[in-house]
Amino acid sequence: MALISLEDLEGLDDEQLDDDITDNPEPMDEEERLLTHWQAVASTHQVTVPAEMTGPIQEMTRNSQQSEPVPLAPISRHEKMGEVLYEERLCPAGHWACVTRGEHLYEQSISNGFMKLMRFICKENSAGRYLGMTVPVISNIHMMEDGKTFEKDVETAFFLPTEFQTNPPHSSDPDISIVFREPIRVVARTFFGTTTEETVGRQIRLLWEVLGLRDDLHRDHYAVAAYNNPSVPHRRNEIWFIGRHL
């Protein structure tokens, strides 16, 4: 994904920000400096961060230490030589805010989808307030018939915080839908780094090698769970295989 992490934003010092604005000698306020930094990072992924993202960037930066974890329930943990190979978990039923984008690159789709969700989280909703952040944010991927290539449309989904599960706010953006989903069983394997079609495809192949033949898991769609925001070089992610049954 093509945005920088909220944790990194909070910890940015003047020297880091100045590196991204050396071409602009005019003095900038804090909002302009943060936006410029986001734009510099995003441009390396061919993603544009518009000026209207200034408010959401500021809001999420201020609240970056208050993320609520999605209540994933552990089922089993599988290790070898002290290394966790994978875990099985139950992802609970609940309401999700979902947006689908079909850009040229996978990372463009999830970046642009996440920016829409940021605006929804930061007051562009029927509650008229900052909703709070939950982690992980999920990207749902469907495979083409060859079983190797991703379909262009990628759904990015945000689990609504506990406070809003019983009465979900609606988005002012028609591209965002509030969807109730039943619980699912997932097989999760952690990996670190950026998420592109190449890196995610590699993780899918690696997990199938670990699991071997399993007919209780779907092969036509997967999910990527992101625990940090985009552009963190060594951010934590998980590849999720989706169970056919609980």
Side-chain angles (χ1 to χ4, degrees), residues 10-234:
E10 185 178 58
L12 286 174
D13 56 31
D14 290 343
E15 182 178 351
Q16 289 173 291
L17 288 171
D18 287 343
D19 287 343
D20 297 316
I21 59 175
T22 51
D23 293 334
N24 187 351
E26 296 298 321
M28 291 185 177
D29 61 24
E30 189 65 17
E31 290 185 358
E32 292 175 315
R33 287 155 66 85
L34 285 173
L35 177 63
T36 298
H37 191 80
W38 277 57
Q39 290 171 332
V41 175
S43 66
T44 65
H45 300 273
Q46 303 176 51
V47 172
T48 300
V49 178
E52 56 263 32
M53 287 302 299
T54 301
I57 290 170
Q58 287 288 317
E59 187 76 45
M60 297 190 79
T61 301
R62 285 193 296 268
N63 293 280
S64 63
Q65 299 302 315
Q66 302 176 30
S67 296
E68 176 184 326
V70 177
L72 303 169
I75 297 173
S76 62
R77 181 184 180 100
H78 302 264
E79 301 182 9
K80 182 177 181 181
M81 305 285 291
E83 176 188 2
V84 178
L85 298 178
Y86 63 92
E87 297 180 353
E88 296 198 37
R89 307 190 193 117
L90 184 68
C91 185
H95 288 94
W96 297 76
C98 306
V99 58
T100 299
R101 304 291 294 176
E103 312 294 352
H104 178 64
L105 298 175
Y106 167 81
E107 51 266 39
Q108 293 173 331
S109 295
I110 58 179
S111 293
N112 289 325
F114 185 67
M115 283 192 285
K116 281 181 169 286
L117 290 176
M118 282 179 65
R119 292 193 289 268
F120 166 68
I121 294 165
C122 298
K123 298 183 182 179
E124 290 187 18
N125 56 71
S126 58
R129 51 168 285 197
Y130 176 72
L131 302 180
M133 188 66 194
T134 63
V135 291
V137 173
I138 306 300
S139 298
N140 291 305
I141 304 162
H142 286 79
M143 309 300 288
M144 298 184 73
E145 290 185 3
D146 62 7
K148 299 178 181 179
T149 309
F150 293 2
E151 291 186 2
K152 288 298 181 186
D153 286 349
V154 179
E155 180 193 71
T156 304
F158 159 75
F159 191 79
L160 295 183
T162 302
E163 178 182 356
F164 298 101
Q165 281 292 330
T166 56
N167 187 22
H170 299 287
S171 174
S172 57
D173 184 343
D175 289 343
I176 295 177
S177 300
I178 306 301
V179 179
F180 180 83
R181 290 189 169 148
E182 298 295 334
I184 58 171
R185 178 175 56 87
V186 302
V187 172
R189 179 179 170 89
T190 300
F191 67 101
F192 294 89
T194 57
T195 52
T196 66
E197 183 165 348
E198 179 182 1
T199 61
V200 172
R202 183 184 308 119
Q203 294 301 320
I204 291 172
R205 293 191 297 273
L206 288 173
L207 185 49
W208 276 123
E209 290 176 6
V210 170
L211 294 173
L213 295 176
R214 291 273 299 260
D215 58 9
D216 62 328
L217 301 171
H218 289 284
R219 285 184 172 268
D220 60 348
H221 64 278
Y222 304 93
V224 176
Y227 287 83
N228 307 106
N229 280 307
S231 291
V232 180
H234 300 290

